[in-house]
Amino acid sequence: LVINPHPRPMGNEPITGSILLVDDDDAVRSFAAHALRKAGFVVHESINGQEALDVMTQLSGNIDVVISDVEMPEMDGPSMAAQILNRNPATKIIFMSGYTEEDLKVAHPELDFLFLEKPFENRRIIETVKQALTAK
């Protein structure tokens, strides 16, 4: 018997999860964190990739979705995501960027991720997180 620690919601059950939001832009991070918390998600915030890795360690990897900017000082989003996935392969990754999704997929074909183009609306980030949480 295998028990899934992250079961898929059935019917009208709310979709919840633990989110790590990583962006060096305070305004973007604050806007996104507020929208996600209002939608019922637990949100942890980091200002760069290295801090995000530290948060993941502190939380013993108990993060369902990492939402990250692509370009950040110290460590970029794809480098951080590769390390997170190496430690916790079940973690879902969402990149948010002004770059195109196709450019990111070409530059990092080894990464499996969803994509949010900046700027985005509250509704869009919430929909993308729900998509990540309900994906197999």
Side-chain angles (χ1 to χ4, degrees), residues 9 27 36 54 66 112 118 127:
L36 291 164
D54 294 342
V66 174
D112 183 24
K118 288 182 179 178
E127 288 171 356

Side-chain angles (χ1 to χ4, degrees), residues 4 6 8 89-90 92 112 130-136:
N4 182 352
H6 304 285
R8 292 179 59 169
K92 304 297 183 182
D112 183 24
K130 288 180 178 180
Q131 179 183 354
L133 288 169
T134 57
K136 290 186 178 183

Side-chain angles (χ1 to χ4, degrees), residues 5-6 18 20 44 51-64 66 83-84 87-91:
H6 304 285
S18 183
L20 177 55
H44 304 273
E51 185 178 288
L53 292 175
D54 294 342
V55 169
M56 287 291 289
T57 298
Q58 291 168 8
L59 297 172
S60 301
N62 291 324
I63 294 289
D64 299 303
V66 174
Q83 289 189 41
I84 288 172
R87 297 177 193 175
N88 304 312
T91 305

Side-chain angles (χ1 to χ4, degrees), residues 59-117:
L59 297 172
S60 301
N62 291 324
I63 294 289
D64 299 303
V65 179
V66 174
I67 304 171
S68 178
D69 191 12
V70 173
E71 293 293 324
M72 296 180 290
E74 295 185 40
M75 180 184 296
D76 67 12
S79 297
M80 174 207 64
Q83 289 189 41
I84 288 172
L85 291 171
N86 189 44
R87 297 177 193 175
N88 304 312
T91 305
K92 304 297 183 182
I93 304 293
I94 300 171
F95 287 122
M96 51 185 177
S97 178
Y99 293 103
T100 69
E101 180 177 7
E102 191 57 36
D103 287 343
L104 196 54
K105 285 186 177 188
V106 168
H108 299 282
E110 75 284 4
L111 296 175
D112 183 24
F113 60 88
L114 293 173
F115 186 80
L116 270 171
E117 186 174 344

